[in-house]
Amino acid sequence: MKLLPPAPLGQTPVRAMTIAGTDSGGGAGVAADLRTMALAGVHGCVAVTAVTVQNTLGVSGVHTIPPETVAGQIRTVVTDIGIGAAKTGMLATGAIIDAIVDVAAEVGIGRDRPIPLVVDPVCASMHGHQLLATEAMDSLRERLIPIATVVTPNLDEVALITGITVVDQDSQRAAAIELHSMGAQWALVKGGHLRSSPFSPDLLYDGETFLELDHERIDTPHDHGAGDTLASAMCCALAHGLSVPDALRFAKDWVTESIRWSYPLGAGHGPVNPLWRVSEPLPD
Ligand code: PXL
């Protein structure tokens, strides 16, 4: 696979920011994002939106961060450190989404602005625990998706956001068209959960062209954090200046290897593992 150029030692590396929740089990959310950013050679900055009480068996509590504290983390980083791209994950409430959208306009994050934005519309944990309040769906649809450079839902999230149940290629295309019409510059409808396909067929759409990427599906119970890892890898590639289709090609290879090398942890679902990266030779 093609890798991003490594961070030059002793010099300031490319920076990116994750706007997401924490997972005390270290599998998903901020922990997953920072692992991928570090291993992709990108300095990861963090705006925490919520703290989850979580292990490999599930989420048993959520503590949300005040919206102005979320916005403050973003503002203080962008105006000092500077970032090449940002991504959102678990956002918890409509008020947090509204605060992010407002500060994004102020500091230049989002489509048609200097800093591209990957929106991973996290709605629930893999065990079904709600991570985005029902009241937040309007803010997600009407405010955040319209500023996304790329929005990256899985099929459950597609159904919640668009009402479309994806069962085949036609309905996957219909969902991508609907997400694009909501205002996202690019819509990525991930096919990892599409059981009618032996592959993991992802579909990317920009209002003109459909790009289909078929990848090997790796069957494992240890895929916690896979969506976060894909979105973070795309964010790193965008921070490096790659186009959205090239960022997806990079990220899809990255997450496929991370799922291949996932490991068991606790009594439940273990995390995907981007540490395969450190056993690869650096590119010339
Ligand atoms: O993988 C989605 C996700 C994102 N962020 C946090 C999570 C989860 C899933 O459990 O806990 C904090």
Side-chain angles (χ1 to χ4, degrees), residues 63-241:
H63 173 79
T64 60
I65 303 299
E68 61 275 17
T69 307
V70 177
Q73 293 172 84
I74 298 168
R75 185 182 298 108
T76 205
V77 164
V78 175
T79 55
D80 170 39
I81 296 169
I83 54 172
K87 71 145 285 217
T88 61
M90 173 186 177
L91 301 179
T93 69
I96 291 177
I97 293 181
D98 290 341
I100 293 167
V101 171
D102 290 345
V103 76
E106 186 189 314
V107 301
I109 296 174
R111 63 166 297 180
D112 307 322
R113 297 181 186 148
I115 304 169
L117 177 65
V118 180
V119 173
D120 182 16
V122 172
C123 293
S125 75
M126 69 196 302
H127 298 94
H129 193 106
Q130 202 169 359
L131 300 178
L132 183 67
T134 311
E135 57 75 23
M137 290 307 285
D138 286 346
S139 290
L140 176 65
R141 286 195 201 97
E142 291 161 23
R143 296 208 64 205
L144 188 61
I145 289 178
I147 65 160
T149 306
V150 57
V151 61
T152 67
N154 63 29
L155 298 188
D156 293 337
E157 291 154 357
V158 165
L160 281 169
I161 296 166
T162 68
I164 297 172
T165 305
V166 174
V167 289
D168 55 17
Q169 197 190 45
D170 283 349
S171 43
Q172 194 177 21
R173 285 189 174 214
I177 291 168
E178 180 62 21
L179 287 160
H180 178 264
S181 76
M182 287 180 178
Q185 190 178 350
W186 293 82
L188 172 66
V189 178
K190 295 182 292 188
H193 298 173
L194 191 61
R195 288 292 152 193
S196 61
S197 166
F199 302 107
S200 170
D202 286 351
L203 180 68
L204 184 66
Y205 179 63
D206 68 345
E208 281 177 18
T209 314
F210 289 102
L211 173 69
E212 281 164 29
L213 275 189
D214 261 355
H215 259 69
E216 178 186 0
R217 169 180 289 129
I218 296 159
D219 268 318
T220 170
H222 307 305
D223 62 353
H224 188 42
D228 318 50
T229 298
L230 178 95
S232 296
M234 284 193 85
C235 177
C236 290
L238 294 177
H240 268 278

Side-chain angles (χ1 to χ4, degrees), residues 22-86:
T22 66
D23 165 4
S24 46
V30 166
D33 295 338
L34 289 182
R35 265 197 297 275
T36 277
M37 288 176 181
L39 288 157
V42 169
H43 175 88
C45 304
V46 182
V48 177
T49 56
V51 173
T52 71
V53 181
Q54 181 169 180
N55 63 19
T56 64
L57 297 171
V59 176
S60 56
V62 173
H63 173 79
T64 60
I65 303 299
E68 61 275 17
T69 307
V70 177
Q73 293 172 84
I74 298 168
R75 185 182 298 108
T76 205
V77 164
V78 175
T79 55
D80 170 39
I81 296 169
I83 54 172

